[in-house]
Amino acid sequence: MFIQTESTPNPATLKFLPGQSVLDIGTADFPSVDTAEKSPLASRIFAVSGVTGVFLGNDFVTVTKADDIDWDHIKPAILGAVMEHFQSGQPAINEGGAANSGHAEHTGEDGEVVDQIKELLDSRVRPAVAQDGGDITFHGFDRGVVYLHMQGACAGCPSSTLTLKMGIENLLRHYIPEVTEVRPVAV
């Protein structure tokens, strides 16, 4: 098995490409070891000292490290953990530990606007963000403000605020006049 790695805009995060499907649908974010019990893959990666976050996508695994750790020291152990997992035949996420579909439900009078926002996020934004080893999820729309959550490589990335404000906000405002601002939310 050959696992490729790619750098991301976030220097504390590296994208691992195992050359096969990781999740069939959705994404899964494990921002700490305490959240990883439903994922044999994330648990195995967290066993590597210095790992502070694991994010699973369709065909990639994004790993975040502590700032005081050098990639040269932990990258071989992470590669070994990923390879060991895929050779074990275990699922990335256990039964009942469903992956995130990407958006919170929204009920209310803004349903049509919210559907447009979700469609734009799914067709234009999420594929681009996935290229950088992350994801973005919709969390709400209230009085013109769209609330989004950045995950994976995008969480804590130095350019995430710029991405939200200059990229996503401008795109949504262009296509949906009801949108006036985009704000990040912490989950």
Side-chain angles (χ1 to χ4, degrees), residues 3-4 6 15-27 55-62 86 130-131 133:
I3 303 169
Q4 294 180 313
E6 290 181 1
K15 185 176 172 182
F16 293 80
L17 300 146
Q20 57 188 304
S21 178
V22 176
L23 292 179
D24 292 329
I25 189 165
T27 61
F55 180 81
L56 308 178
N58 178 275
D59 63 349
F60 66 90
V61 177
T62 302
F86 281 99
Q131 289 294 315

Side-chain angles (χ1 to χ4, degrees), residues 10 13 29 54-55 62 64 132-135 150-157:
N10 184 346
T13 305
D29 190 25
V54 177
F55 180 81
T62 302
T64 304
D132 287 339
D135 196 13
M150 310 274 291
Q151 299 174 316
C154 301
C157 177

Side-chain angles (χ1 to χ4, degrees), residues 33-57:
V33 69
D34 300 335
T35 62
E37 73 263 352
K38 68 180 181 178
S39 172
L41 175 54
S43 295
R44 204 178 295 248
I45 294 169
F46 271 115
V48 176
S49 181
V51 171
T52 61
V54 177
F55 180 81
L56 308 178

Side-chain angles (χ1 to χ4, degrees), residues 110-167:
D110 298 321
E112 192 174 306
V113 172
V114 169
D115 289 345
Q116 291 175 14
I117 292 167
K118 289 178 179 180
E119 172 59 32
L120 276 172
L121 290 173
D122 286 343
S123 64
R124 303 259 181 125
V125 178
R126 291 180 82 196
V129 173
Q131 289 294 315
D132 287 339
D135 196 13
I136 191 161
T137 57
F138 173 84
H139 277 266
F141 177 72
D142 184 37
R143 296 184 198 125
V145 180
V146 178
Y147 295 92
L148 302 173
H149 177 62
M150 310 274 291
Q151 299 174 316
C154 301
C157 177
S159 61
S160 66
T161 302
L162 188 63
T163 299
L164 273 178
K165 286 294 182 188
M166 300 305 291

